[in-house]
Amino acid sequence: VTDAAGRPVWQSRMTPEEMYALVDFCEDHELPLEFIFSDAYYVYVEYAAFVEKYCGQNAASGFFDSVLRDGEDQVRHLQDMPFGACAAMDARHAAAFEAKYGHLGLRFIPFAPDRYDVLRAGAGKAAGVGRLLGSVVPTVGRGASIVVAAGGERQPQDEDERGGNPVAHGIPSLAVS
């Protein structure tokens, strides 16, 4: 979450331990793994397979070239740590990661068949919106009657923890009452 000048208001970056656990696991199982950094998305493991699985026939269009980088040299995190990850794996692999690295608290959130967003505990769209509202509400003088929706489909794991209010994905809108 950033302010109008682009300065971070709130951010949650992965720890080295979280990131390396994902890299090790995905390398061991030859699973495509992408990390979300401030400047682009970097595929650290199985770049060609990631492009084939995620970009499909759109890969040749060049559309992804502006945001997706081959990061198999695995050095981008030396500048700053990623915000999250995206893994191409089945539910069996997600469960195996949880069994081995559950103490890290990473959350695997399915968004398509065999595709998971990987977020830190306490991170996510709802947490970001909550932090944003926490910094904006006092300045505009509004109370708890602010409602925010950004997206399309409701995902239970992205509900506001205080009130259970869903934060949707895909349809950007802001309603202030």
Side-chain angles (χ1 to χ4, degrees):
V1 178
T2 60
D3 63 15
R7 292 179 304 259
V9 174
W10 179 77
Q11 57 187 339
S12 177
R13 294 187 184 267
M14 291 186 138
T15 66
E17 183 182 14
E18 293 165 339
M19 193 196 85
Y20 290 131
L22 282 168
V23 170
D24 289 346
F25 184 85
C26 289
E27 284 179 339
D28 289 348
H29 297 278
E30 297 179 348
L31 300 168
L33 175 66
E34 166 210 67
F35 286 105
I36 304 158
F37 288 95
S38 56
D39 62 329
Y41 298 88
Y42 289 78
V43 181
Y44 267 42
V45 181
E46 299 289 331
Y47 178 78
F50 187 93
V51 169
E52 181 181 322
K53 185 167 188 74
Y54 281 92
C55 305
Q57 39 191 334
N58 296 320
S61 72
F63 170 76
F64 296 98
D65 294 345
S66 64
V67 295
L68 189 64
R69 307 276 190 276
D70 180 345
E72 288 194 288
D73 58 1
Q74 299 184 2
V75 296
R76 174 59 183 82
H77 67 282
L78 299 175
Q79 295 173 35
D80 56 30
M81 294 302 290
F83 296 106
C86 179
M89 63 176 60
D90 57 30
R92 177 179 54 89
H93 283 107
F97 182 92
E98 174 66 25
K100 185 172 184 177
Y101 297 106
H103 65 280
L104 297 175
L106 293 175
R107 298 182 307 142
F108 284 73
I109 303 169
F111 66 89
D114 296 333
R115 299 181 190 177
Y116 290 85
D117 280 335
V118 183
L119 301 174
R120 300 186 74 220
K125 292 175 180 79
V129 169
R131 296 281 185 172
L132 175 64
L133 291 177
S135 67
V136 171
V137 171
T139 63
V140 295
R142 301 281 183 174
S145 61
I146 291 181
V147 177
V148 175
E153 64 186 75
R154 180 177 177 269
Q155 294 185 0
Q157 61 276 9
D158 277 346
E159 290 183 355
D160 179 281
E161 295 169 0
R162 288 165 287 158
N165 300 315
V167 177
H169 307 280
I171 306 169
S173 64
L174 175 62
V176 180
S177 58

